[in-house]
Amino acid sequence: MVKQEYIKQYLFPAQKAGECFGINPIVILAQSAIETGWGESTLAKEHHNFFGITAYGRPNAFWKGEKTDLSENSGHTSLWFRTYNSAEDSFMDFARLIHTAYPVAASLSAHPSAYAKEIAYSKYISEVNGDNRAAYQRILVSICRTIERMPVC
């Protein structure tokens, strides 16, 4: 998917989630772009999970408890991920998660650079899974700038 098409398609769910949970929709949309490869991931396309959120925790208003293991075809279980009924549910659940589990990051979201630093060096990012915190921070800021320059915003 072309970046501008992705932004146009998912800006509204990001805005709705941002408004509901007091988080800048630009950082929400940017994180979804990172986590899905601009909407190209199997998790996003088939399971409406735009943030790579794992299937831990209790079901809530946005996640009904359904899950998938993307490695099920390979014969071994690795990690369970949440599946959602819609992209909007995924965006809302992500914003709920950031608002409740990472309140400092949420409070900094009006300033994408500060938010990116806070979220990149939080438990949200897992270096055990190969995540690079500094790279994640740089990419998140870069994508926020790209989104802000797009004519759809």
Side-chain angles (χ1 to χ4, degrees):
M1 182 179 293
V2 178
K3 292 176 184 178
Q4 190 164 2
E5 290 172 7
Y6 183 87
I7 292 166
K8 195 173 188 176
Q9 186 169 351
Y10 297 109
L11 180 59
F12 178 74
Q15 289 172 327
K16 184 174 179 183
E19 185 177 309
C20 188
F21 291 98
I23 300 173
N24 181 354
I26 299 296
V27 300
I28 295 172
L29 193 56
Q31 264 190 276
S32 74
I34 291 171
E35 299 292 345
T36 65
W38 292 96
E40 296 301 317
S41 74
T42 299
L43 210 52
K45 286 180 175 181
E46 296 179 15
H47 305 285
H48 304 294
N49 185 332
F50 285 78
F51 300 92
I53 300 175
T54 55
Y56 298 106
R58 294 187 193 133
N60 60 59
F62 312 111
W63 175 57
K64 307 306 178 207
E66 296 173 5
K67 59 187 177 180
T68 187
D69 177 12
L70 296 181
S71 67
E72 60 193 29
N73 295 332
S74 67
H76 62 81
T77 302
S78 64
L79 191 57
W80 292 94
F81 292 93
R82 294 179 180 196
T83 62
Y84 297 94
N85 293 328
S86 67
E88 187 176 299
D89 283 346
S90 178
F91 278 77
M92 294 295 282
D93 194 31
F94 171 78
R96 178 205 56 79
L97 173 69
I98 297 301
H99 177 79
T100 57
Y102 305 97
V104 173
S107 73
L108 295 171
S109 70
H111 309 284
S113 295
Y115 172 87
K117 183 176 182 180
E118 182 66 27
I119 206 69
Y121 289 91
S122 72
K123 289 182 180 183
Y124 182 84
I125 302 300
S126 172
E127 288 180 323
V128 173
N129 293 334
D131 293 338
N132 179 316
R133 294 173 188 275
Y136 194 94
Q137 179 183 352
R138 284 191 305 275
I139 292 166
L140 185 56
V141 170
S142 175
I143 293 174
C144 284
R145 289 181 181 145
T146 297
I147 294 169
E148 288 169 340
R149 288 192 303 264
M150 290 285 179
V152 295
C153 292

